[in-house]
Amino acid sequence: MPRSLRRIGVLGACVAAAVAFSAPFPASAAPAAESVFTLYSKEVPSGESGQTDQPPEVGDSFSFAGDLYRAKGGEKVGRDGVTCTVVRAGQAGGDLHCVGTFVLTGEPAGQLTGQALVPFDPSDEQPASFDIAITGGTGDFKDARGFVRSTADGDHERLDFRVTP
């Protein structure tokens, strides 16, 4: 899978993990208003190169995992796993459908889910920013919703969260 496809998937990987660790409310109370915060995701090496000379085809898929941090090089606040599938492909690129699950530890704690339909262009080394829908969660995040703006930021992905109760 070309590096740009994996990078796009990494952007979608951390959709909801930041929700748990940056929210300014105790685990037992629901937030009264929208919560806005930023986390950084760094992909965990899988041992696979992810590189191929073949263009992606509809049905191709790949998975990856990442660690989540409050700041680059800072405190680790969670982990995630994401699977992306090519749902549209052509000469100029196509679309990936990515779904992720995020395990959050500490206070608050729980699992969060997110998904996005992400356009890709195999020739792009750095894909454009895109939004990821927060689709639900468990534990302290059972009613989480909102979105995450995902942007490439060096060897990390910057995740700007807007979470509503």
Side-chain angles (χ1 to χ4, degrees):
M1 194 62 45
R3 178 167 169 76
S4 63
L5 289 182
R6 289 193 60 80
R7 187 164 191 111
I8 288 170
V10 169
L11 292 173
C14 302
V15 171
V19 173
F21 293 99
S22 298
F25 52 91
S28 61
E34 181 177 67
S35 179
V36 179
F37 54 90
T38 299
L39 287 182
Y40 294 87
S41 172
K42 185 164 183 170
E43 186 174 359
V44 175
S46 67
E48 297 180 19
S49 71
Q51 300 293 328
T52 179
D53 293 332
Q54 300 297 321
E57 296 180 4
V58 171
D60 288 350
S61 66
F62 59 96
S63 298
F64 55 91
D67 289 332
L68 303 169
Y69 301 90
R70 291 185 191 274
K72 288 183 181 182
E75 174 188 0
K76 181 180 169 184
V77 296
R79 68 186 196 279
D80 61 61
V82 176
T83 299
C84 295
T85 302
V86 177
V87 295
R88 181 178 297 204
Q91 293 290 354
D95 291 319
L96 295 172
H97 182 254
C98 297
V99 178
T101 301
F102 310 91
V103 178
L104 309 169
T105 57
E107 286 291 325
Q111 293 188 16
L112 293 158
T113 59
Q115 68 180 34
L117 185 63
V118 183
F120 71 88
D121 179 342
S123 66
D124 284 346
E125 280 300 311
Q126 183 158 332
S129 297
F130 61 93
D131 291 335
I132 304 162
I134 296 172
T135 59
T138 65
D140 295 330
F141 306 101
K142 67 178 182 156
D143 295 322
R145 56 194 169 106
F147 72 94
V148 180
R149 169 60 53 121
S150 183
T151 306
D153 190 356
D155 63 347
H156 289 75
E157 304 303 327
R158 178 185 166 116
L159 302 167
D160 295 309
F161 286 77
R162 289 193 166 290
V163 182
T164 55

